Amino acid sequence: MLELVSIMKQGVHWQLSKVVVNPEHITIITEASEVNNLFQEGKIGIGLNEHVVFSKVSFKSFSGFKDLIAVGSPEQILEKIQKKEKTLLKG
């Protein structure tokens, strides 16, 4: 399992939450351009470093939900997945 931090809009406010996902259910990770633009424009005030980027993580349809917006670039999330896989292989 893989722990990510997701961002979602609740009414007019944005909030962060930890989520645990099965990395085998991830189908694609892309840059979340719209959310990144809102963050850079200061429209998402959640107290994160100004250099943070967000990614859209999409899942296989049977996983129970379609996608989420996660904190981190696609490369950073992929690195977390690969690091987790190496740890599992080493036992």
Side-chain angles (χ1 to χ4, degrees):
M1 300 304 275
L2 180 69
E3 185 177 288
L4 298 173
V5 176
S6 72
I7 180 173
M8 64 182 86
K9 190 170 187 178
Q10 297 289 331
V12 296
H13 301 286
W14 290 85
Q15 70 178 35
L16 297 172
S17 61
K18 288 184 182 180
V19 293
V20 179
V21 299
N22 184 339
E24 293 178 11
H25 292 183
I26 295 173
T27 57
I28 189 166
I29 305 167
T30 59
E31 184 177 329
S33 301
E34 185 178 327
V35 177
N36 285 326
N37 289 339
L38 289 172
F39 184 71
Q40 291 301 318
E41 294 168 3
K43 296 180 180 175
I44 299 176
I46 51 177
L48 293 176
N49 181 298
E50 65 186 37
H51 301 291
V52 166
V53 294
F54 302 95
S55 296
K56 180 179 178 180
V57 181
S58 299
F59 298 88
K60 295 177 182 175
S61 59
F62 65 81
S63 68
F65 57 98
K66 187 177 178 180
D67 50 48
L68 62 83
I69 304 298
V71 176
S73 69
E75 296 82 12
Q76 290 169 324
I77 294 171
L78 182 59
E79 188 176 297
K80 283 182 83 167
I81 293 169
Q82 291 170 340
K83 187 176 182 181
K84 191 72 167 175
E85 288 173 351
K86 286 180 185 178
T87 302
L88 291 175
L89 292 175
K90 289 181 181 179

